[in-house]
């Protein structure tokens, strides 16, 4: 009986050791892949990777060879340098295809509304317009509530301007030259030079504000949720009755930017994308 116990124990140790080694190998392979994703260089050599990750060149070479089998990494036979392969692209595209901004943003909208005690909204863009796709309202007597699914032009209101300001320069110019800049209220910015100046300020600060530009008696602050290319995939806003909201702007902006930064990171954005 004692002999059997000793045999069992001696048999379990190698199994545990083998499992630990396998996990460590997977972790190192993941580190190598993430290093390719995070570095500014499109190609890397074995020595560069080894020095950056504190690994031996032999270990890096073995990992790269394994990753090449699944085309996660590719080797240039001339330069002998490595780059991300088509397999890595397929993984990234599969992840992006499964992103549901409304589902992902829902917890942030709830937390943002609770933190600010105002209405938090999510907007998505449809061509030269945007629509509210979701909202969370606070538990107070006087609140702002928006109509979901109604299109609004990209120059009228905080959420609209937050979209427009973060499009490409060509897209912005196309909008300013092609879209009818009709005012929705007496406060809507419909003058092209003034709007262009406003958009530049929004891009610089990272957020937009509106005081009765989309709807009389309403005010808001809004900021974009950016993807891995730094493009706006959605806009989050905090809005409330105009007179009350004037005193809340700074606190709402702080909470808003915390939320949009977290959501942008989930969508693949990094600090280096801003520019």
């Amino acid at each position: 009986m004692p002999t059997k116990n000793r045999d069992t124990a001696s048999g379990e140790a190698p199994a545990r050791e083998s499992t630990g080694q396998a996990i460590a190998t997977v972790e190192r392979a993941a580190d190598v892949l993430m290093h390719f994703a995070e570095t500014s260089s499109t190609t890397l050599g074995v020595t560069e990777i080894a020095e950056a990750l504190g690994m031996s060149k032999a270990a890096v070479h073995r990992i790269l060879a394994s990753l090449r089998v699944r085309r996660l990494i590719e080797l240039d036979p001339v330069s002998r340098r490595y780059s991300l392969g088509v397999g890595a692209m397929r993984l990234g595209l599969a992840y992006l295809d499964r992103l549901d901004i409304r589902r992902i943003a829902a917890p942030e909208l709830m937390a943002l509304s609770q933190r600010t005690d105002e209405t938090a909204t999510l907007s998505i863009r449809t061509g030269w317009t945007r629509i509210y796709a979701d909202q969370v309202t606070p538990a107070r007597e006087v609140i702002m509530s928006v109509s979901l699914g109604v299109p609004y032009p990209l120059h009228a209101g905080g959420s609209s301007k937050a979209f427009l300001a973060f499009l490409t320069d060509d897209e912005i110019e196309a909008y300013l030259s092609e879209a009818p800049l009709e005012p929705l209220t007496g406060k809507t910015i419909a003058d092209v030079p003034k709007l262009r100046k406003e958009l530049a300020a929004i891009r610089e600060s990272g957020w937009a504000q509106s005081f009765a530009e989309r709807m009389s008696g309403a005010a808001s602050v809004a900021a974009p949720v950016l993807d891995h290319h730094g493009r706006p995939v959605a806009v989050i806003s905090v809005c409330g009755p105009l007179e009350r909201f004037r005193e809340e702007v700074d606190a709402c902006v702080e909470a808003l930017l915390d939320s949009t930064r977290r959501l942008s990171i989930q969508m693949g954005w990094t600090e280096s994308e801003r520019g």
Side-chain angles (χ1 to χ4, degrees), residues 11 27 51 55 80 88 90 129 149 173 196 213 232 249 271:
E27 289 175 344
E51 291 178 351
M55 297 166 57
R80 307 302 297 174
R90 290 179 61 192
T129 65
E173 291 306 314
R196 187 178 282 114
E213 293 180 26
V249 169
E271 293 285 352

Side-chain angles (χ1 to χ4, degrees), residues 26-187:
V26 171
E27 289 175 344
R28 287 196 296 267
D31 288 341
V32 170
L33 279 173
M34 289 305 300
H35 185 57
F36 274 94
E38 294 167 356
T39 186
S40 58
S41 177
T42 57
T43 64
L44 293 170
V46 171
T47 300
E48 293 172 78
I49 300 170
E51 291 178 351
L53 299 180
M55 297 166 57
S56 70
K57 288 192 286 186
V60 170
H61 191 273
R62 286 195 299 271
I63 289 170
L64 291 172
S66 296
L67 294 174
R68 285 181 63 199
V69 173
R70 296 294 181 183
R71 302 192 67 186
L72 292 166
I73 293 294
E74 293 180 355
L75 171 66
D76 185 322
V78 177
S79 66
R80 307 302 297 174
R81 292 177 66 82
Y82 295 84
S83 62
L84 288 175
V86 68
M89 181 186 70
R90 290 179 61 192
L91 283 175
L93 291 175
Y95 172 76
L96 293 175
D97 285 342
R98 288 162 175 77
L99 287 179
D100 179 351
I101 186 60
R102 193 171 183 272
R103 175 184 58 79
I104 293 171
E108 284 292 346
L109 290 184
M110 181 66 72
L112 185 57
S113 180
Q114 292 174 346
R115 180 174 171 182
T116 61
D117 205 22
E118 294 290 1
T119 298
T121 76
L122 170 73
S123 291
I124 58 174
R125 184 165 72 96
T126 57
W128 287 148
T129 65
R130 59 95 189 173
I131 62 172
Y132 289 112
D134 202 359
Q135 68 176 321
V136 174
T137 56
R140 60 193 306 178
E141 186 174 352
V142 180
I143 65 170
M144 267 288 299
S145 180
V146 301
S147 298
L148 303 184
V150 177
Y152 296 102
L154 293 185
H155 65 280
S159 293
S160 292
K161 293 186 298 181
F163 260 123
L164 186 57
F166 284 87
L167 298 181
T168 66
D169 292 341
D170 288 343
E171 288 172 322
I172 292 173
E173 291 306 314
Y175 182 86
L176 296 179
S177 62
E178 298 172 10
L181 301 184
E182 298 176 354
L184 299 187
T185 72
K187 298 292 186 179

Side-chain angles (χ1 to χ4, degrees), residues 209-229:
Q209 66 179 7
S210 170
F211 292 95
E213 293 180 26
R214 182 187 64 83
M215 184 173 73
S216 298
S220 69
V221 291
V225 176
L226 304 175
D227 67 9
H228 60 298
H229 292 301

